[in-house]
Amino acid sequence: MEFFRCPCPLNGNVILDGADLGPNKDDSGRPLTKLCNAGFHTISLLCPAGKRSSPLQVTIEITGTDPSSPLEVPFQCVG
């Protein structure tokens, strides 16, 4: 298994290859670590109503990660 996070100042839902993996942050505002198989994936962040993510999506290879050092895939939710 591989591990990644999608930090963003706002809360949003992480979308991995079209599947909703749930929120990018916990109730305390800390980024949540998500799991996936090794390889190339398309990741996006579904931002709150009226916002869109920047970038819209990222296609990236996720490999060589572990729970203590997940890959960071940052997003911004903009107006």
Side-chain angles (χ1 to χ4, degrees):
M1 289 312 271
E2 300 299 327
F3 304 86
F4 71 99
R5 291 182 186 161
C6 293
C8 179
L10 298 179
N11 294 330
N13 277 23
V14 176
I15 310 298
L16 176 74
D17 300 329
D20 189 335
L21 299 185
N24 66 325
K25 296 180 186 182
D26 66 15
D27 291 337
S28 301
R30 292 179 296 226
L32 290 169
T33 299
K34 304 297 183 178
L35 302 173
C36 66
N37 293 321
F40 282 92
H41 296 281
T42 300
I43 301 169
S44 59
L45 185 69
L46 182 61
C47 293
K51 306 282 184 186
R52 63 177 178 78
S53 71
S54 178
L56 293 176
Q57 66 182 23
V58 174
T59 299
I60 192 166
E61 184 175 18
I62 303 176
T63 184
T65 64
D66 61 55
S68 60
S69 58
L71 178 68
E72 297 259 330
V73 184
F75 288 90
Q76 295 287 321
C77 291
V78 296

